[in-house]
Amino acid sequence: MAINTFKFGEDRLTVGKVLDIVKGETTSVLSKTIQKRIEASSRVVENIVEKGEPVYGINTGFGPLCTTKISKEETRILQTNILKSHSVGVGKPISNELAKIMLVLKAHSLAKGYSGIALHTLNRILWHIENDVIPIVPSQGSVGASGDLAPLSHLFLPLIGLGKVVYQGNTMQTQEMFDKTALQPIHLGPKEGLALINGTQFIAAHAVKVVEKLHSVLSQADIIGAMMIEGLQGSVKPFYKELHELRPFKGNIHVARRVKRLLKGSEIMEDHIDCDRVQDPYSLRCIPQVHGASRNAWLHLKELLETELNSVTDNPVIIDEELTISGGNFHGQPLAMALDYACLAASEIGNISDRRIYLALEGNSPGVPKLLMKDTGINSGYMILQYTSAALASENKGMCFPSSADSIPTSLGQEDHVSMGSISGRKALRVIQNVEKILAIELLTAAQAFEYRKPLKSGIFLDEVHKAVRKKVSFADRDRVFSDDIEKGIEMIRNKTIISVIEKVEKNKNISLNTKYSAEFESY
């Protein structure tokens, strides 16, 4: 199969393309045009040094030292020192995947040709990407403006022979990796150190993973929610297009159409079409409104992130020989606020999922026993699984305070308003991980409730989903160690098992869950 090629600095980067490059499914190159642009920008920096006119970060100190003039001879030492002095990260290292995403994002930004980076330096970064030699980057220490200084410093310490890397599956000092590969440290030129560490690539890398993982959560929440509607014999009317056309939010319409299609052809739904229940609790009836609102938040983040992925976010920016601008493109606020919004959106998916789990245990749906088990008393049934989902939902609520609402001045007041976007990104991923666990528990309880509707059949989608669950987790007629079931459920959620089932049915039966908004909500 032919592998796609992405041209750094030239092609438009998306979340999907980033992930493809990281996985090795797309190669990346610098075209001749981009190489010339990079070399021209580097020459501008060299000329500034020759002229001796003060330009921030090239021949001046950094932050509060911006008025301190640096001699021509010392400009190169300055750039090496900035990597050393700013490598102050602490905490558990981020994953290799996140660090590699940072490398990809930084390479694309530098390749735009406005940073003054030397071509050989950028080529070394590309070498790390191509050979999967990934720097060790601590997770804590960035305030999200003047860029992600600490994590980016650690990311690029290996360029000058310092720090640690993961090479061929082993963590080692960079010098040990040099010994194995015959590489030598790079000697950074004027502005290069600053170009490397100024930027939002730590925040943006986390946003890439939030977009990917939250999309999976949202898709599976719709499917599991539909299965719970079947299990508890909820009404399909709240998903009618006639209702949502009166309040036409994109996310609401998209979710309602998907869920209605999942329920189509269901004998279970037909069986209670004339029942005397007037309306369902909100956790069933308001799935389009709640899931849809989270879909809208996801779309907002995706759109903002795509702009960020294709931006120049370091400082100063080299426009041309006559114009160098020291501005604030490194400030993480645009993504910080959107990540906090996405964090809340994810938490709400877990919150309403927990409510559906609780609803399934109440025993108020005809045919479905209390605690989802007939022989209770000696058996507690599924009661305690909801304790776990409640604990996870509560933990998520505690992480929903927006990190971007905080700012602590740094750099002796020069950086007097910061975004804290790095915390926004890390926190959003933790919340999503908890939501995956909550959805796993809902999947188990929905499948258990679903079982009590037999011999009635659901529509073609949900019957196949139920079969897939039963291949991993059997029906429970008595108590057992449910943590084993939960772990299998979590694995199914993280492996996107039920999404794969839906896609297989769509392909085999030539039917689709697509809506008029699928191009926006189902691609990244």
Side-chain angles (χ1 to χ4, degrees):
M1 186 177 70
I3 296 180
N4 294 325
T5 298
F6 181 83
K7 291 175 283 188
F8 277 127
E10 195 168 343
D11 292 342
R12 185 163 182 81
L13 200 55
T14 64
V15 170
K17 289 177 182 176
V18 172
L19 295 171
D20 284 346
I21 294 169
V22 168
K23 289 182 286 189
E25 295 174 4
T26 293
T27 60
S28 49
V29 298
L30 295 174
S31 70
K32 295 293 184 183
T33 300
I34 292 299
Q35 290 181 47
K36 290 178 181 178
R37 186 186 299 173
I38 292 166
E39 289 171 336
S41 179
S42 184
R43 283 195 298 272
V44 169
V45 172
E46 294 287 354
N47 292 339
I48 289 171
V49 173
E50 287 297 323
K51 291 178 182 177
E53 297 175 4
V55 176
Y56 174 73
I58 296 178
N59 49 20
T60 75
F62 307 115
L65 303 175
C66 60
T67 57
T68 303
K69 188 76 185 297
I70 304 297
S71 70
K72 175 182 173 181
E73 293 72 27
E74 292 176 320
T75 53
R76 294 179 183 274
I77 300 173
L78 175 70
Q79 302 306 314
T80 298
N81 281 349
I82 193 174
L83 284 185
K84 295 177 182 178
S85 66
H86 287 57
S87 295
V88 293
V90 296
K92 183 180 177 181
I94 62 174
S95 67
N96 289 345
E97 183 186 24
L98 275 170
K100 191 171 182 180
I101 291 172
M102 289 178 68
L103 289 171
V104 170
L105 303 190
K106 193 64 182 182
H108 188 51
S109 180
L110 294 173
K112 295 285 184 180
Y114 294 94
S115 302
I117 200 80
L119 182 58
H120 70 269
T121 302
L122 184 50
N123 279 331
R124 176 62 67 86
I125 296 172
L126 299 189
W127 180 89
H128 277 268
I129 296 170
E130 291 163 4
N131 292 278
D132 219 28
V133 181
I134 310 303
I136 297 295
V137 178
S139 58
Q140 296 171 292
S142 172
V143 296
S146 174
D148 294 310
L149 295 173
L152 283 168
S153 296
H154 285 277
L155 188 74
F156 293 119
L157 276 178
L159 298 184
I160 59 173
L162 302 176
K164 294 181 180 180
V165 296
V166 176
Y167 175 65
Q168 296 181 337
N170 298 309
T171 300
M172 61 187 68
Q173 295 291 335
T174 296
Q175 185 57 54
E176 184 180 349
M177 181 271 290
F178 280 180
D179 293 340
K180 294 175 182 292
T181 59
L183 288 180
Q184 295 294 323
I186 284 175
H187 299 288
L188 298 176
K191 192 188 176 297
E192 287 199 276
L194 190 59
L196 291 169
I197 72 169
N198 249 324
T200 60
Q201 284 73 35
F202 182 89
I203 299 172
H206 282 75
V208 165
K209 290 301 294 181
V210 169
V211 166
E212 180 196 27
K213 293 178 74 65
L214 182 53
H215 180 268
S216 173
V217 160
L218 291 166
S219 294
Q220 295 187 77
D222 291 348
I223 299 165
I224 298 167
M227 180 176 276
M228 189 66 88
I229 291 169
E230 289 274 60
L232 303 183
Q233 284 196 320
S235 173
V236 74
K237 281 189 176 180
F239 304 90
Y240 279 21
K241 67 177 182 179
E242 290 84 356
L243 174 66
H244 297 285
E245 285 172 351
L246 301 178
R247 196 188 189 201
F249 288 107
K250 290 181 181 179
N252 302 31
I253 291 172
H254 184 66
V255 170
R257 172 69 178 84
R258 279 169 50 83
V259 173
K260 188 170 183 291
R261 187 66 191 82
L262 287 165
L263 298 172
K264 187 176 181 180
S266 168
E267 293 177 1
I268 299 169
M269 301 303 289
E270 290 294 324
D271 183 60
H272 74 112
I273 198 166
D274 296 319
C275 74
D276 57 3
R277 277 188 293 170
V278 177
Q279 57 186 18
D280 297 320
Y282 287 0
S283 60
L284 298 181
R285 190 180 1 143
C286 298
I287 284 175
Q289 289 79 10
V290 178
H291 290 199
S294 293
R295 288 269 188 175
N296 293 331
W298 176 89
L299 182 61
H300 181 62
L301 175 62
K302 183 190 82 164
E303 291 173 344
L304 291 182
L305 177 57
E306 198 163 308
T307 297
E308 188 79 338
L309 296 181
N310 295 284
S311 297
V312 176
T313 59
D314 63 298
N315 180 62
V317 171
I318 312 298
I319 304 299
D320 54 37
E321 192 85 37
E322 306 301 323
L323 182 60
T324 300
I325 301 174
S326 183
N329 276 9
F330 51 70
H331 204 291
Q333 196 78 358
L335 285 189
M337 294 175 69
L339 282 165
D340 285 332
Y341 182 20
C343 181
L344 174 61
S347 179
E348 280 301 283
I349 292 298
N351 200 7
I352 194 171
S353 176
D354 169 70
R355 294 297 80 214
R356 289 193 293 265
I357 295 165
Y358 186 91
L359 191 65
L361 304 179
E362 286 187 313
N364 291 334
S365 181
V368 177
K370 187 177 293 185
L371 302 177
L372 294 173
M373 199 172 284
K374 288 182 177 179
D375 187 14
T376 50
I378 190 172
N379 293 298
S380 296
Y382 280 72
M383 182 200 312
I384 308 301
L385 279 76
Q386 192 266 328
Y387 276 49
T388 300
S389 66
L392 292 165
S394 180
E395 184 177 317
N396 281 352
K397 292 173 190 177
M399 288 191 281
C400 280
F401 179 84
S403 298
S404 58
D406 184 34
S407 176
I408 298 176
T410 58
S411 199
L412 302 185
Q414 181 75 6
E415 298 163 10
D416 57 355
H417 182 279
V418 297
S419 75
M420 301 299 180
S422 63
I423 304 169
S424 303
R426 289 170 43 232
K427 192 156 56 67
L429 283 178
R430 292 204 304 274
V431 167
I432 291 169
Q433 288 167 357
N434 283 343
V435 175
E436 290 173 335
K437 297 168 186 174
I438 296 171
L439 286 177
I441 293 172
E442 188 187 358
L443 179 62
L444 300 181
T445 52
Q448 185 79 359
F450 197 90
E451 198 91 27
Y452 289 107
R453 297 304 171 197
K454 291 181 176 179
L456 295 175
K457 290 186 176 182
S458 178
I460 190 166
F461 287 106
L462 296 182
D463 262 343
E464 292 301 316
V465 170
H466 188 257
K467 289 175 186 175
V469 175
R470 285 291 170 253
K471 288 178 181 177
K472 300 286 185 179
V473 180
S474 63
F475 175 78
D477 58 2
R478 59 179 59 87
D479 285 351
R480 60 194 186 207
V481 180
F482 283 112
S483 65
D484 296 338
D485 294 357
I486 294 170
E487 286 303 319
K488 291 174 184 176
I490 293 170
E491 183 182 12
M492 291 183 73
I493 295 295
R494 290 183 175 161
N495 290 342
K496 305 180 185 179
T497 300
I498 63 175
I499 293 177
S500 297
V501 169
I502 295 297
E503 290 174 346
K504 185 177 180 180
V505 173
E506 286 182 302
K507 182 179 179 181
N508 291 344
K509 300 297 182 180
N510 197 28
I511 51 180
S512 175
L513 296 183
N514 283 347
T515 76
K516 62 182 178 180
Y517 296 120
S518 287
E520 294 171 87
F521 287 116
E522 302 303 332
S523 64
Y524 50 79

